[in-house]
Amino acid sequence: MIEIINVTKYYGSHIAVKDLTFTVKKGEVMGFLGPNGAGKSTTMRIITGYMPPTRGRVLIDGIDVLKDPMRAKKRIGYLPESPPLYRDMTVKEYLLLVCDLKGIKGRKKEMETNRVIGISGLEQVTKRLIGNLSKGYKQRVGLAQALLGDPGILVLDEPTTGLDPKQIKEIRSLIKKLAGNKTVILSSHILPEVNAICEKIIIINKGRLVASGSADEISMRLQSRESIYVKAKGDFKKIANTLQKIKGMQSINQISDEAEVLEFNVEFEKGRDLREELFYAMAEMGCPILEMKPNKLSLEDVFVKLTTQEKVVETGEDLGSL
Ligand code: ADP
Ligand code: MG
């Protein structure tokens, strides 16, 4: 479990992370989403004890990262934004070196190294120089070093950035495979990425938390009114006049009218369902409905909305218990 408690970080006078609080429970795969410069890498460096926060605390399985860094760090595998790979070492040599750094000794050293080589699919390149590997393979080496020592927590900073679509798919499925029995926090500035891998999402912007929950929960909360798309036959003016009289109706906006067929959106109070009334009203006017469906905010819309308006979504729950 990772607990981030009121963490603030200044670089000089520049505030990179502001009063951030959230929890990643054991076994959860958390997506840490935000545009470039939002403070994701800074937060991850603080979580992994690479850098102290200006204020606030981070607990790893209850251990304070600042007070007991060795014990806390042992539980974490960290893939930094640009992993410190040594170009002149072979894959195997590098992983053995990381074993030394992590204090993995004796017979365990060879066993652990072979284990992570297997998981990360590096068998074919163990003797190759890291500098000569493709970007996708370098990233696998980065993941492999994070997995040495079998930590229960993985902190992965933009693990697929710079990879081609095939490599992205491979790394994603690798992360999913690993996620089974680990607590994972993974950052990204790309929405589909988080959506593809993570159950829970934290969105930050300019160092502040702007939303948290599952993708669906966040979309629902952000929507301030219900909206339905309707495709029907008839005269828009007449239809709009009649529908306006339905209680709770807020707006009716035409999208298009091609020949006989109209398309429009109706918006009404949040929490109400006007579909039946809409149906009967349209039938009474002799205007057949050809299609009717709710307009949902896509995660993409949510992201744009949240990271351009700086609006905080009321989560209605204790963030600490996410
Ligand atoms: P992200 O990973 O979300 O792109 P970062 O955590 O890297 O964001 O950066 C957050 C903010 O802090 C940015 O405005 C960035 O320019 C600034 N920043 C990051 N690292 C440093 C640093 N070492 N010194 C000064 N400013 C930094
Ligand atoms: Mg970053």
Side-chain angles (χ1 to χ4, degrees):
M1 178 151 120
I2 312 171
E3 292 165 272
I4 290 98
I5 307 160
N6 301 116
V7 164
T8 294
K9 177 70 189 181
Y10 281 91
Y11 291 114
S13 62
H14 175 73
I15 187 156
V17 173
K18 186 158 193 313
D19 203 22
L20 201 56
T21 298
F22 64 88
T23 300
V24 190
K25 281 195 208 144
K26 193 169 156 52
E28 242 171 31
V29 181
M30 171 73 80
F32 196 41
L33 188 64
N36 285 324
K40 302 181 296 294
S41 297
T42 301
T43 306
M44 291 184 140
R45 281 181 216 128
I46 293 169
I47 291 173
T48 52
Y50 182 87
M51 194 171 70
T54 309
R55 280 194 296 274
R57 295 199 304 157
V58 173
L59 304 180
I60 303 295
D61 295 334
I63 305 162
D64 192 313
V65 174
L66 277 185
K67 290 190 183 138
D68 199 348
M70 287 307 273
R71 264 180 73 219
K73 284 182 186 180
K74 268 213 151 118
R75 292 162 188 259
I76 303 175
Y78 176 32
L79 175 67
E81 211 163 14
S82 31
L85 303 174
Y86 296 105
R87 301 179 55 86
D88 297 333
M89 279 183 147
T90 66
V91 170
K92 184 84 181 253
E93 283 168 353
Y94 170 70
L95 292 175
L96 289 170
L97 170 75
V98 177
C99 280
D100 291 339
L101 297 176
K102 289 192 177 187
I104 302 165
K105 296 185 192 112
R107 272 183 49 219
K108 255 196 122 182
K109 191 168 154 180
E110 187 73 21
M111 269 167 52
E112 255 308 279
T113 305
N114 290 335
R115 187 184 69 86
V116 300
I117 285 172
I119 300 176
S120 315
L122 290 168
E123 294 95 336
Q124 309 299 322
V125 297
T126 52
K127 295 195 179 94
R128 294 264 297 274
L129 289 180
I130 291 176
N132 296 338
L133 295 177
S134 70
K135 219 164 171 203
Y137 268 100
K138 283 198 186 104
Q139 200 65 349
R140 286 176 192 228
V141 177
L143 261 177
Q145 65 77 28
L147 294 172
L148 281 171
D150 202 16
I153 296 172
L154 291 178
V155 178
L156 312 175
D157 197 352
E158 309 231 9
T160 62
T161 299
L163 303 185
D164 69 33
K166 185 165 166 277
Q167 295 166 333
I168 289 178
K169 249 183 126 178
E170 286 167 4
I171 294 287
R172 275 187 194 163
S173 66
L174 183 56
I175 294 170
K176 272 192 172 166
K177 200 166 77 185
L178 294 171
N181 49 0
K182 292 198 187 294
T183 307
V184 181
I185 176 164
L186 168 153
S187 75
S188 178
H189 63 282
I190 316 161
L191 259 163
E193 172 100 336
V194 202
N195 222 7
I197 310 179
C198 309
E199 306 140 6
K200 287 268 178 84
I201 301 174
I202 296 268
I203 303 181
I204 64 164
N205 189 36
K206 298 182 182 162
R208 290 160 217 244
L209 188 139
V210 286
S212 62
S214 71
D216 278 351
E217 280 165 10
I218 295 174
S219 311
M220 291 273 285
R221 269 185 232 125
L222 204 68
Q223 210 150 11
S224 52
R225 38 172 73 177
E226 308 287 345
S227 172
I228 290 182
Y229 161 88
V230 184
K231 193 173 184 178
K233 283 186 176 172
D235 174 55
F236 180 71
K237 264 195 182 153
K238 191 177 150 207
I239 292 174
N241 268 333
T242 306
L243 297 186
Q244 246 151 29
K245 291 172 195 141
I246 297 176
K247 195 166 171 281
M249 186 64 74
Q250 289 181 331
S251 75
I252 303 149
N253 297 306
Q254 189 168 8
I255 308 168
S256 80
D257 57 341
E258 277 185 37
E260 289 269 283
V261 179
L262 278 176
E263 286 178 285
F264 56 94
N265 284 324
V266 294
E267 290 192 330
F268 46 92
E269 282 167 14
K270 195 172 179 170
R272 294 204 51 180
D273 186 352
L274 296 188
R275 281 176 302 178
E276 280 187 30
E277 282 172 76
L278 203 73
F279 168 83
Y280 287 120
M282 294 291 284
E284 211 163 287
M285 284 184 280
C287 301
I289 294 176
L290 305 176
E291 206 180 323
M292 176 155 83
K293 63 178 181 205
N295 287 314
K296 261 199 194 156
L297 274 181
S298 70
L299 195 52
E300 202 87 37
D301 300 332
V302 170
F303 187 48
V304 171
K305 211 165 168 169
L306 286 175
T307 53
T308 49
Q309 291 181 356
E310 271 189 73
K311 181 184 167 192
V312 173
V313 179
E314 288 302 328
T315 57
E317 62 181 64
D318 176 15
L319 284 179
S321 67
L322 259 176

